[in-house]
Amino acid sequence: MPYAPVKTTSVDVLVRSFKELNSEIKELEKKKGDKKKVADLKKELDEKGKKIEKKLGDDIKAIHANGKKHFQNVDQWLGQAEGFLKTAKESVTKFEKTKDHSLVLVVEGGPATIRHLLDEANSDADDFGKSWFEYRAYNPTSQGLDDKYAKSFAKARMDLMGESKGYGAKVGKIENLVSEAQSLVKLVKSLDQRELHDIEDDRKDAKQVAAGIAKIKKDADISKGKAESNAKGIAGTASQTSCTKELFQTCQSFMKNMISLDKGVRNDLLSAQKILDTTKKTLADHLKDGVIAKELADADRDLAAVQKTSDEIRKIIVASTKDLAAAQKKVK
């Protein structure tokens, strides 16, 4: 769905006016001009700053309202996708018992149905991202605004970005469900005695699954690296003698990011395990084939590595939780 764009055009004009007035005040102070005039201009500057602060607050509220709609959409699509996958699994189980070929059609329809939901989710995420693209990287303080008028905006934006990452992981989960649905199609076809299995097709399937899990392993390693980087930021803050409120909020964002990374890795791990288990059932007749056996062994090894990485990320989060608590005690 389209989201009304929230642009920085209006606030840019206000910030430029603030910067110009601030420069005028500094020039008068440098020349030791009329003190009353300087005081009046400073009062005017503060009023401008508060006006900008309100505008930033109103805009981020509008963006968050759009975000709430997007998040609700993603939750709805994920729920529907999980429902379709559940139906497909139940159909496979029933087919094993009844050999009712109408159930094969139900399973075969799963991937396309869930893929449609994934496309909807990706399109919606893209629309939401575009609606506040200008504000995602906007830094009014670099344009001349005093930091005290931008603090609330910066925190609200940081929180929204953290929440968005969490929902990005949910969109990733829908993508995983597509792969799970595809593996069920292969399984139900392998159970259908009317369809003969060619060993080359099975080798191809085994290689495809192994390659997919290898990619998940690579992505998990990247996520661990990001988690370690976030943890260092929190630990560094915890080691300081004092901590500003703004710096602590940054540390909280680091923690939220680590939690999102952890969730993404665990979602991938769970999905990959299900796909691998289903694939082994699908290729039951050819598990002793050298090529297939090697591909599945590689997949098992990579999956074990992802599990280890996931456990390590959880340990990083636990340690960082203690550092975050230590940093909070130093907030002034």
Side-chain angles (χ1 to χ4, degrees):
M1 63 176 292
Y3 296 94
V6 183
K7 297 182 175 295
T8 60
T9 308
S10 296
V11 79
D12 263 335
V13 173
L14 295 174
V15 171
R16 280 198 300 271
S17 175
F18 180 95
K19 182 179 179 180
E20 290 169 0
L21 181 57
N22 196 28
S23 296
E24 182 182 346
I25 292 171
K26 288 180 179 179
E27 188 65 26
L28 282 173
E29 288 180 325
K30 184 179 179 181
K31 294 179 179 179
K32 297 183 179 181
D34 188 316
K35 290 183 179 180
K36 185 179 182 306
K37 183 177 181 181
V38 170
D40 289 341
L41 290 178
K42 283 186 175 181
K43 183 178 179 182
E44 183 182 345
L45 185 70
D46 183 55
E47 291 173 352
K48 284 181 178 290
K50 290 177 178 177
K51 184 176 181 180
I52 294 170
E53 183 177 29
K54 183 179 183 306
K55 175 60 178 172
L56 289 170
D58 289 344
D59 283 355
I60 201 67
K61 284 179 183 177
I63 293 168
H64 194 270
N66 283 341
K68 187 176 181 180
K69 293 177 184 177
H70 168 60
F71 301 150
Q72 289 173 341
N73 289 338
V74 172
D75 281 334
Q76 179 181 344
W77 289 318
L78 176 57
Q80 290 175 349
E82 290 174 332
F84 284 124
L85 188 69
K86 182 174 181 289
T87 298
K89 288 179 179 178
E90 291 171 347
S91 296
V92 172
T93 300
K94 290 178 183 177
F95 179 76
E96 286 186 273
K97 298 176 181 178
T98 66
K99 299 302 179 183
D100 178 357
H101 286 94
S102 66
L103 295 169
V104 176
L105 297 177
V106 173
V107 179
E108 288 180 329
T113 302
I114 299 175
R115 168 65 69 180
H116 173 71
L117 295 172
L118 175 62
D119 290 342
E120 290 283 342
N122 279 326
S123 177
D124 200 67
D126 187 51
D127 286 342
F128 173 56
K130 288 178 180 177
S131 74
W132 71 296
F133 177 78
E134 292 183 7
Y135 260 119
R136 284 180 68 88
Y138 185 63
N139 183 1
T141 58
S142 69
Q143 305 300 317
L145 181 67
D146 191 297
D147 183 59
K148 68 180 181 180
Y149 302 113
K151 286 180 180 179
S152 295
F153 159 75
K155 181 183 182 303
R157 179 177 61 183
M158 193 177 296
D159 289 344
L160 180 57
M161 291 179 75
E163 194 173 2
S164 295
K165 287 181 181 178
Y167 275 85
K170 289 189 176 185
V171 174
K173 188 174 182 180
I174 299 175
E175 186 171 4
N176 288 338
L177 295 181
V178 174
S179 298
E180 286 185 48
Q182 290 170 335
S183 70
L184 289 174
V185 171
K186 293 176 182 177
L187 175 57
V188 78
K189 285 185 176 181
S190 74
L191 296 172
D192 188 350
Q193 296 302 313
R194 298 180 308 168
E195 183 170 324
L196 298 177
H197 262 244
D198 184 278
I199 193 168
E200 289 301 326
D201 288 338
D202 283 356
R203 287 172 176 172
K204 183 178 178 181
D205 287 344
K207 289 181 179 179
Q208 184 177 3
V209 170
I213 293 177
K215 182 180 183 302
I216 287 175
K217 176 181 178 296
K218 183 178 180 181
D219 290 343
D221 290 339
I222 293 172
S223 292
K224 180 187 172 185
K226 291 180 179 179
E228 289 173 335
S229 178
N230 288 331
K232 286 180 181 178
I234 296 175
T237 301
S239 67
Q240 296 178 9
T241 56
S242 64
C243 176
T244 65
K245 183 180 178 182
E246 291 72 32
L247 189 54
F248 179 67
Q249 289 173 344
T250 298
C251 288
Q252 288 179 308
S253 294
F254 286 156
M255 177 59 73
K256 289 179 181 178
N257 190 45
M258 282 193 284
I259 292 172
S260 293
L261 291 168
D262 171 54
K263 184 181 292 185
V265 171
R266 286 189 288 123
N267 284 342
D268 287 347
L269 177 64
L270 182 61
S271 178
Q273 184 64 68
K274 290 178 180 178
I275 291 171
L276 184 57
D277 290 344
T278 301
T279 299
K280 288 178 178 178
K281 292 179 182 179
T282 303
L283 308 181
D285 294 338
H286 296 143
L287 290 178
K288 293 183 179 180
D289 175 73
V291 174
I292 292 175
K294 181 182 181 304
E295 294 293 347
L296 295 182
D298 288 346
D300 279 326
R301 183 198 65 229
D302 286 344
L303 204 57
V306 175
Q307 179 64 69
K308 182 180 178 181
T309 300
S310 176
D311 293 340
E312 290 170 346
I313 293 174
R314 299 302 292 275
K315 289 178 182 178
I316 292 170
I317 291 175
V318 170
S320 291
T321 299
K322 295 178 182 178
D323 287 334
L324 189 64
Q328 187 174 23
K329 292 178 181 179
K330 300 176 182 179
V331 175
K332 294 182 179 179

